[in-house]
Amino acid sequence: MPTRSMSTVIQHLRKTIGLQDEAGLTDAQLLERFIAHRDEAAFAALVRRHGSMVMGVCLRAVHNHQDAEDAFQATFLILVRKAASIASRELLANWLYGVAYNTARKAKASNIKRQAKEKQVTERPDPAMAGQELWSDDLQALLDQELNRLPEKYRVPIILCDLEGKTRKDAALQIGCPEGSLSSRLSRARVMLAKRLARHGLPVSGVALAAVLTQNGASACVPASVVSATIRAATLYAVGPSATGVISAKVAALTEGMLKTMLLTKLKAVTASLLMLGMVMLTSAM
């Protein structure tokens, strides 16, 4: 067999074995590999594992595949820069959900501003987003808003089971609680979310909501080209903010804008904590 052909076969086998090995690792283990060694394969595994969930959030927010793909890429580039600061690494899905939600909202706001300047303020949903009658634009707009507001205890089971399609057993292992407790939280979370949507005039049962979430999550396929471009960009972004030629200027601006927003939010939280501490010390001294 020619040397080049043999080399190709060996590379394919290594890649296949690597994928099988990474499939058995937890989010925390993959994240540790990426943080410690800038392991591209580990990062790629995380993108593939959580890609559909992240894309689903982005699509529901912006109703446009191109803008959703931009928000998708920005979300994972933010992960590159913030990976080491994530405290609950086993709950990476929850962290990614929050970042994707806020990034998509920022993308939508920027899009609206651009359309306003162009005097094209009418938004039309992407034809590919047309689905069941229950999955209306109003429900899409409010779903993530209310899900994001649920306490983490209830939000995480919905993200893992309904948006990512994990079994209750696997989700319970990931969270670190008994399967029965996870099932109770999931049922409670669906009821809570349904009630919150009902307040907006969108009556839907917890059971129906679960079915819609699962179907929508499964249909949020990420194009292979977007996955590949995101992984390539992450490799460059890991060593610096420049990924010219791999991501668009829009994605770069969206990423940097979100990183600044996250920094400001953290600074505000620290300032508030210091002020509170100062008031307590002042009260104690009186």
Side-chain angles (χ1 to χ4, degrees), residues 21 36 80-81 88 112 132 137 164 177 180 189-190 199 202 276 280-281:
D21 180 53
V80 170
R81 297 285 290 277
S88 301
I112 290 174
Q132 297 182 358
D137 288 347
E164 292 205 320
C177 71
R190 289 168 176 170
R199 293 172 191 164
L202 296 169
M276 182 63 70
V280 170
M281 293 177 64

Side-chain angles (χ1 to χ4, degrees), residues 175-209:
I175 295 173
C177 71
E179 185 177 346
S181 298
L182 183 281
S183 295
S184 297
R185 292 181 193 178
L186 180 60
S187 298
R188 175 61 179 156
R190 289 168 176 170
V191 171
M192 291 172 66
L193 185 56
K195 286 183 177 179
R196 288 170 179 255
L197 292 172
R199 293 172 191 164
H200 296 281
L202 296 169
V204 55
S205 69
V207 175
L209 183 59

Side-chain angles (χ1 to χ4, degrees), residues 12-27:
H12 176 72
L13 287 173
R14 285 176 176 172
K15 182 177 180 180
T16 301
I17 294 171
L19 289 174
Q20 291 174 346
D21 180 53
E22 287 141 15
L25 298 178
T26 66
D27 285 350

Side-chain angles (χ1 to χ4, degrees), residues 264-279:
L264 288 174
T265 299
K266 184 177 181 179
L267 289 175
K268 287 179 181 178
V270 171
T271 301
S273 297
L274 290 175
L275 288 174
M276 182 63 70
L277 179 60
M279 291 178 65

